[in-house]
Amino acid sequence: MDLQAPVQFVKGVGPQRAAALEKAGVRTTEDLLLRFPLRYEDRRSFARVADLQPGMRVSVSGEIVVAGLRRARRMTLYEIRLDDGSGKLKVLWFNQPYLRDVLEKGRRVALYGPVERDAPGSRLLAMRSPQYELLDAEDTPGIHTGRIVPVYEKLGPLTAKPLRRVLTGLAEKVPPDLADPLPGELRDRLRVLSRGEALRRVHLPGENEDVELLNRFRGPGHVRLVLEELFLFQLGLARRRQDLRAQRKGRAFDVTDRTREVVKRILPFPLTQAQKRVLREIADDLRSGHPMNRLVQGDVGSGKTLVALLAMVIALENGYQAAFMAPTEILAEQHFLTFRRLLARCSYETRLLTSAVKGRERKEALGQIASGEARIVVGTHALIQQRVEFSRLGLAVIDEQHRFGVLQREGLRKKGYDVDVLVMTATPIPRTLALTAYGDLDVSVVDEKPPGRSPIRTVRRAASARREVVRLVRREAEAGRQAYVVYPLVEESEKLEDVRAATEAAEEWRAALPGVSVGLLHGRMRSAEKEEVMAAFAAGTLQVLVATTVIEVGVDVPNATVMVIEHAERFGLAQLHQLRGRVGRGPGTSTCVLLAHGRLSEVALARLEVMTATEDGFLIAEKDLEIRGPGDFFGTRQWGMPSFRVAHLVRDRDLLEPARREAFRLVAEHGEALPAPLPAFLEEGGWE
Ligand code: ADP
Ligand code: MG
């Protein structure tokens, strides 16, 4: 059997249906076989007609003893009586007049479907529009009845029933000794079926199979095929990682006493244990002869910036430049200011490069970057533009990686020869997804918050409770604290009317809070203006900041103790968590108010309930994944997530770990000697 043969040659398909199937993503025989049934129904045993009760779903079989077609107004009614020896059952189909020629009197037939009362209150039972199948000879195994029956989703032109016929026929022909990409030794260890057997079993479950397992996609066929896909994917990652490590870069940074001295001088406070551990992991990478490829995961406020800065100091002390890329201008500017402040007592030239840096200033910056005079360059994606040339880039840090694509990671890497790359994310990615999206990276976790943080009280309020919220903000302002009020806008697509809404809101808050200084920040403002507003808020001269989601990531003002989120129902969980993380950074008790407008959808309510229930970013991420599913979780393809054919990252997360373990083991044991084929999505260019 040739699995790569065009689907057209599968029995029951043909050229016309094949063309339509192709549009549905099914090109080959294999594509078709890899379409798992949506669910399975247990139609193994036939019920006795005499034992039927309303509400049952059953298979019955017997002889058609009465049959007739009636026309009633605009519809036709085909009605039969089925006799199985224990009793007679009335069965009806609507608007299928052709059944007259199929389900003729005297034929034996099997039916599957719900049993109902013929009419409300009636004692007579009936089946309406059941699935049917002719039983020509007693021993013909059923396709649609008399077994565990796979139920398919409509696929292009093929509706459930014809599709079942096609796939049953196809699966019967799959030889058990089909070529198998999983080595036999691995199959034994994982105790999984051969590929051929698995493809069969998914569509032709055995007589004694556990229907409940099948319906959780954990039948032996499912497990095998999902494991295979995840394994091959992880194998690709393992090899990629090995290749990266194998690149000799011919240099390893030193960490000298002088470096330690500089670090000590910079540190504004002692590092947490977690920060120390992660820094050690980074330093080990930097000192090794291999290029670093490390992801630092850490919840909002865990202090990743400082760790990155210290890593940069190591590169600087070794005579190299360091680049720090942030996802927004505001954030880049803020980091720039932080670094400048912390490095005030060192002599490292630090430059900012965003699209807002223009004209002479830009030229000067580019010149200093190219000459090597600029030692630390902080910027947005402007950093990876072609025109930016570094003299000796040694370390690239990418902050809030989830905002960037794999492409950009690569882009920055290419700015320097075998640059060390440190990627940071505050989006607490569930481990399952981290293994997939970042499977070629080493991962460090900053799993501890700096001391002195107090828990955040999170409450959900209806928009009508605004006066209570205003009181809270006023009280905090009077106590010398600050507050954020956030409106749900996405900075990339900030529309004029959204900006107007935020502007009006700022006016309203000003009116509601006489004597309190209220500022406004949105993505449409010029960067000089934005900078001014942020600086005023950071300095405390602005007490309340009404803002769009431009403040979502990274903004750090420890004196802010209130976060009011307007239209909280419109935000995703990750965003809500990020926003909430802007408060609770100082000693005072902080409050996050989720203002919900109007009636909430079930999903919105679920999100807000998660928020009021926990502050744990990883738990929130897990919940998010459950609520949304992985495709959505990662938004666009920017994550470099492959689309799997059979695996589903939420449903199959338990299989990801063994798949990864085995893949990495294989690469470690055989390394270069491994035969080459990689899954198509991992080949050059397939990633982005
Ligand atoms: P994130 O991990 O979200 O990027 P930041 O790096 O912005 O977090 O740090 C959040 C805040 O915690 C900052 O105000 C930073 O100065 C402070 N901070 C970081 N490390 C420590 C520490 N070891 N002790 C006290 N405060 C710290
Ligand atoms: Mg940060």
Side-chain angles (χ1 to χ4, degrees), residues 400-661:
E400 310 296 348
Q401 152 81 20
H402 64 289
R403 295 297 198 88
F404 293 111
V406 179
L407 258 184
Q408 280 148 320
R409 187 176 2 133
E410 296 290 312
L412 202 45
R413 184 198 307 283
K414 287 183 187 128
K415 288 283 169 198
Y417 180 65
D418 285 342
V419 142
D420 286 302
V421 176
L422 190 63
V423 166
M424 306 200 292
T425 183
T427 302
I429 310 155
R431 186 169 162 69
T432 331
L433 293 183
L435 288 181
T436 310
Y438 298 123
D440 58 337
L441 301 179
D442 298 306
V443 178
S444 294
V445 185
V446 190
D447 50 6
E448 179 188 355
K449 292 209 175 169
R453 300 285 170 88
S454 17
I456 304 168
R457 192 171 67 97
T458 303
V459 293
R460 172 160 61 89
R461 291 282 180 271
S464 55
R466 186 176 313 274
R467 282 177 57 187
E468 178 198 333
V469 181
V470 170
R471 267 203 306 278
L472 169 72
V473 172
R474 187 186 303 127
R475 207 175 51 226
E476 289 297 294
E478 279 165 4
R481 312 240 192 263
Q482 292 164 278
Y484 298 96
V485 181
V486 177
Y487 282 78
L489 315 167
V490 182
E491 82 259 29
E492 281 87 6
S493 64
E494 221 161 76
K495 296 194 204 73
L496 275 178
E497 68 243 49
D498 292 335
V499 169
R500 196 174 323 122
T503 312
E504 273 166 23
E507 285 310 321
E508 278 166 29
W509 280 94
R510 271 186 198 120
L513 296 168
V516 175
S517 57
V518 177
L520 172 65
L521 187 70
H522 62 69
R524 282 284 178 111
M525 286 161 51
R526 283 187 295 112
S527 13
E529 280 178 294
K530 280 192 265 187
E531 216 172 313
E532 212 172 288
V533 172
M534 265 324 293
F537 191 68
T541 43
L542 272 181
Q543 292 163 287
V544 177
L545 186 62
V546 176
T548 61
T549 41
V550 288
I551 63 151
E552 178 193 336
V553 284
V555 171
D556 185 34
V557 179
N559 191 44
T561 50
V562 182
M563 168 61 70
V564 180
I565 304 177
E566 292 272 2
H567 284 287
E569 76 282 358
R570 292 196 204 158
F571 290 89
L573 261 180
Q575 240 181 340
L576 289 172
H577 180 63
Q578 286 277 344
L579 284 170
R580 178 168 60 186
R582 299 305 114 218
V583 295
R585 293 175 164 239
T589 308
S590 291
T591 309
C592 173
V593 184
L594 307 169
L595 277 178
H597 295 234
R599 273 183 64 103
L600 299 186
S601 71
E602 221 171 280
V603 172
L605 188 64
R607 284 196 299 256
L608 298 187
E609 276 172 359
V610 171
M611 285 298 292
T612 50
T614 182
E615 256 193 78
D616 180 332
F618 281 86
L619 200 61
I620 291 175
E622 290 283 348
K623 291 284 177 200
D624 202 14
L625 192 57
E626 271 166 35
I627 295 175
R628 289 205 282 169
D632 242 27
F633 186 87
F634 282 92
T636 56
R637 296 168 66 187
Q638 66 172 347
W639 283 77
M641 287 290 278
S643 46
F644 290 108
R645 297 215 283 179
V646 293
H648 183 284
L649 288 178
V650 177
R651 188 190 68 203
D652 300 326
R653 62 229 275 185
D654 57 324
L655 298 180
L656 194 53
E657 295 258 6
R660 179 178 174 85
R661 194 175 56 234

Side-chain angles (χ1 to χ4, degrees), residues 270-280 302-303 306-307 446:
L271 294 177
T272 63
Q273 288 309 317
Q275 282 172 319
K276 277 189 204 158
R277 189 187 64 238
V278 172
L279 186 62
R280 209 159 36 231
S302 59
L306 198 55
V307 174
V446 190

Side-chain angles (χ1 to χ4, degrees), residues 102-132:
V102 183
L103 302 174
E104 294 163 306
K105 185 177 165 194
R107 299 203 74 157
R108 290 186 46 78
V109 66
L111 305 174
Y112 175 82
V115 179
E116 299 160 5
R117 289 187 197 284
D118 187 39
S122 164
R123 297 190 47 192
L124 186 65
L125 298 180
M127 271 180 141
R128 289 185 175 76
S129 306
Q131 306 246 337
Y132 63 86

Side-chain angles (χ1 to χ4, degrees), residues 262-272 274-276 278-280 282 296 301-314 324 335 338-343 376 395 397 399 422 424 446 450-451 453 554 556 585:
V262 174
V263 165
K264 255 193 221 132
R265 203 164 353 128
I266 292 173
L267 271 186
F269 21 60
L271 294 177
T272 63
Q275 282 172 319
K276 277 189 204 158
V278 172
L279 186 62
R280 209 159 36 231
I282 294 169
V296 174
S302 59
K304 296 183 293 295
T305 319
L306 198 55
V307 174
L309 178 65
L310 299 181
M312 290 197 287
V313 165
I314 296 177
F324 187 102
H335 283 310
T338 305
F339 294 158
R340 272 248 293 251
R341 194 184 67 226
L342 291 173
L343 295 174
I376 294 185
L395 171 66
V397 181
D399 195 18
L422 190 63
M424 306 200 292
V446 190
R453 300 285 170 88
D556 185 34
R585 293 175 164 239

Side-chain angles (χ1 to χ4, degrees), residues 243-258:
D243 288 350
L244 284 171
R245 298 197 134 243
Q247 286 168 17
R248 313 261 338 234
K249 68 177 181 183
R251 70 157 152 76
F253 291 147
D254 286 334
V255 179
T256 60
D257 284 344
R258 196 189 116 102

